[in-house]
């Protein structure tokens, strides 16, 4: 690192419940916008899911709102909750196509596994923790604050759990500035690269590990990115130097600070809610949940990873994880085998 971290000033910064005062926080679908979606769905029934895109799923009514959301995700608050999607009126297959079509107006879906899955089911699959297929989203456990390997992540809630499963989001710039104020020594550590182990499902990736900072500023653009589980796995490898006490304290302090109720915002995504988040300006986590006994009632969300055309440039160390670091580049996801 060539300079000491300084406070980041950006109009999209928010703390806790301040997000509710922002005009870019939520959008409620109108009847005309839902009619628009319904028409796009009916006109694209002859297309396979991966043939649906911005041009083949035209949304003349809803499209301008999605364009504004695309801009605010990158340049505004970094998170938008779309409400009013009538999930009860559609089959699961139709809801997935509608979610895909909406998402394609925000960005390009990228793969979330070595199998090339671009629409991922978030539900408790019951895998053991030592099963290579085990991933945090496919469990009922509480997750830590993290980001995913894409510009924008989207969730459509198809069914919610019997209890729990609350969303918590934090603005990464507010988090950065809070750490700067409390522990500038730890923030300096977070600007340095940490080792990341290849994910257990990232089998198309030939590299066993890479390096990446938690916080960075590149060409004037801020970015925050962290997945603690892969960092811990990397430092358990015999060929990787041991994590220092200061590095561990810095990573712990990210979670502790983000967990401050005054800094993050907690809410519960309900059936039909669509949540979109920028992975460089927000971190998110989910509380543990208790599911229904009946399989057909259990918690189920659809997840999509998007590369967006108006993305920011990234620090060169993001190349191994993202494939490309230029502004607007098609990037992110996992390489399919």
């Amino acid at each position: 690192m060539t300079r000491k971290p300084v406070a980041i000033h950006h109009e999209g910064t928010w703390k806790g419940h301040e997000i509710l005062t922002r005009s870019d926080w939520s959008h409620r679908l109108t009847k005309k916008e839902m009619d628009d979606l319904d028409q796009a769905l009916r006109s694209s029934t002859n297309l396979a899911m991966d043939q649906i895109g911005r041009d083949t799923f035209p949304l003349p009514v809803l499209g301008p709102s999605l364009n504004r959301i695309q801009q605010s995700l990158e340049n505004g608050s970094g998170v938008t909750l779309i409400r009013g999607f009538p999930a009860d009126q559609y089959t699961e297959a139709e809801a997935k196509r509608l979610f895909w079509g909406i998402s394609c107006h925000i960005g390009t879906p990228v793969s979330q596994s070595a199998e090339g899955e671009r629409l991922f089911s978030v539900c408790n699959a019951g895998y053991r923790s030592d099963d290579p297929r085990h991933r945090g989203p496919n469990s009922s456990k509480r997750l830590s604050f993290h980001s995913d390997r894409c510009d924008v992540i989207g969730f459509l809630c198809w069914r919610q759990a019997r209890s729990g499963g609350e969303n918590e989001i934090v603005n990464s710039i507010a988090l950065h500035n809070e750490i700067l104020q409390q522990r500038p020594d730890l923030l300096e550590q977070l600007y340095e690269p940490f080792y990341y182990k290849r994910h257990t499902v990232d089998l198309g990736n030939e590299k066993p590990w890479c390096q990446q900072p938690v916080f960075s500023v590149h060409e004037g653009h801020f970015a925050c990115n962290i997945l603690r589980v892969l960092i811990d796995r990397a430092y358990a490898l015999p060929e990787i130097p041991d994590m220092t006490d200061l590095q561990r304290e810095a990573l712990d302090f990210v979670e502790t600070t983000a967990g401050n109720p005054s800094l993050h915002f907690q809410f519960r995504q309900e059936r039909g809610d669509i949540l979109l988040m920028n992975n460089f300006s927000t971190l998110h986590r989910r509380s543990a949940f208790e599911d229904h006994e009946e399989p057909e009632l259990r918690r189920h969300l659809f997840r999509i990873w998007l590369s967006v055309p108006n993305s920011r440039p990234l620090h060169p160390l993001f190349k191994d994880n993202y494939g490309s670091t230029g502004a607007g580049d098609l990037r992110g996801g996992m390489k399919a085998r």
Side-chain angles (χ1 to χ4, degrees):
M1 189 178 62
T2 57
R3 62 183 180 86
K4 287 187 176 294
V6 296
I8 307 295
H9 300 284
H10 189 274
E11 62 180 15
T13 308
W14 51 269
K15 289 184 178 182
H17 283 77
E18 290 176 359
I19 187 65
L20 296 176
T21 67
R22 296 187 58 96
S23 61
D24 56 0
W25 152 242
S26 66
H27 175 81
R28 179 163 291 277
L29 294 169
T30 66
K31 184 181 183 306
K32 288 184 178 179
E33 288 173 336
M34 274 312 309
D35 290 344
D36 198 29
L37 280 167
D38 199 66
Q39 175 59 36
L41 176 66
R42 305 305 166 195
S43 65
S44 61
T45 54
N46 62 323
L47 300 177
M49 179 94 76
D50 59 6
Q51 292 178 306
I52 293 177
R54 194 180 181 100
D55 295 335
T56 56
F57 200 84
L59 295 172
V61 179
L62 178 58
S65 293
L66 294 179
N67 289 339
R68 287 193 295 272
I69 290 171
Q70 181 196 66
Q71 292 303 313
S72 71
L73 287 169
E74 178 62 25
N75 302 308
S77 67
V79 56
T80 298
L81 184 66
I82 300 176
R83 288 191 155 133
F85 180 84
D88 293 338
Q89 296 180 20
Y90 295 101
T91 65
E92 182 175 324
E94 289 173 332
K96 286 180 177 179
R97 290 173 70 87
L98 284 164
F99 179 47
W100 178 280
I102 290 170
S103 299
C104 286
H105 281 260
I106 303 294
T108 301
V110 295
S111 172
Q112 301 182 53
S113 71
E115 283 68 45
E117 298 170 277
R118 291 192 288 168
L119 194 61
F120 184 80
S121 284
V122 176
C123 54
N124 184 11
Y127 297 136
R128 289 164 49 96
S129 59
D130 59 353
D131 190 313
R133 297 170 296 175
H134 176 80
R135 303 172 74 169
N138 284 143
S139 73
S140 61
K141 69 178 184 179
R142 175 183 176 271
L143 304 181
S144 60
F145 278 106
H146 67 282
S147 48
D148 288 52
R149 202 191 301 181
C150 57
D151 293 322
V152 168
I153 185 172
F155 295 98
L156 168 60
C157 180
W158 182 240
R159 288 190 303 271
Q160 193 44 280
R162 179 164 61 187
S163 63
E166 287 84 5
N167 302 77
E168 293 180 7
I169 52 175
V170 64
N171 180 273
S172 300
I173 297 177
L175 174 64
H176 171 279
N177 292 344
E178 188 69 20
I179 296 174
L180 175 65
Q181 184 176 356
Q182 294 190 36
R183 291 293 303 273
D185 59 323
L186 296 185
L187 187 61
E188 287 188 33
Q189 288 292 311
L190 296 166
Y191 268 81
E192 298 292 344
F194 284 80
Y195 286 94
Y196 277 70
K197 189 178 185 297
R198 178 180 60 203
H199 201 293
T200 53
V201 298
D202 190 15
L203 301 178
N205 185 355
E206 297 176 356
K207 297 186 177 182
W209 48 263
C210 67
Q211 288 183 282
Q212 187 177 293
V214 174
F215 292 114
S216 63
V217 176
H218 181 63
E219 296 180 0
H221 292 269
F222 170 88
C224 172
N225 211 248
I226 184 172
L227 189 54
R228 178 70 184 269
V229 64
L230 296 188
I231 296 175
D232 288 340
R233 289 176 187 173
Y235 284 92
L237 296 172
E239 67 268 29
I240 300 298
D242 290 341
M243 186 186 296
T244 68
D245 291 342
L246 198 60
Q247 284 178 314
R248 184 173 292 104
E249 186 180 5
L251 293 173
D252 290 344
F253 200 69
V254 170
E255 183 73 10
T256 302
T257 308
N260 187 323
S262 68
L263 207 64
H264 72 253
F265 177 60
Q266 183 184 76
F267 65 102
R268 196 167 192 260
Q269 203 175 348
E270 299 298 344
R271 180 167 166 81
D273 286 352
I274 296 172
L275 178 64
L276 297 163
M277 295 176 289
N278 186 302
N279 273 302
F280 300 112
S281 62
T282 65
L283 298 178
H284 62 281
R285 74 179 179 187
R286 182 205 69 209
S287 67
F289 63 87
E290 182 179 340
D291 233 333
H292 295 273
E293 294 294 332
E294 302 87 344
E296 68 276 9
L297 297 179
R298 291 176 184 166
R299 187 180 191 270
H300 188 185
L301 280 72
F302 311 140
R303 187 180 78 177
I304 200 162
W305 284 358
L306 299 171
S307 173
V308 297
N310 61 330
S311 64
R312 68 196 67 192
L314 299 174
H315 189 282
L317 280 174
F318 283 88
K319 183 175 175 58
D320 281 344
N321 253 345
Y322 282 82
S324 189
T325 60
D329 286 351
L330 183 62
R331 65 192 186 195
M334 297 184 187
K335 184 179 179 182
R337 285 188 294 185

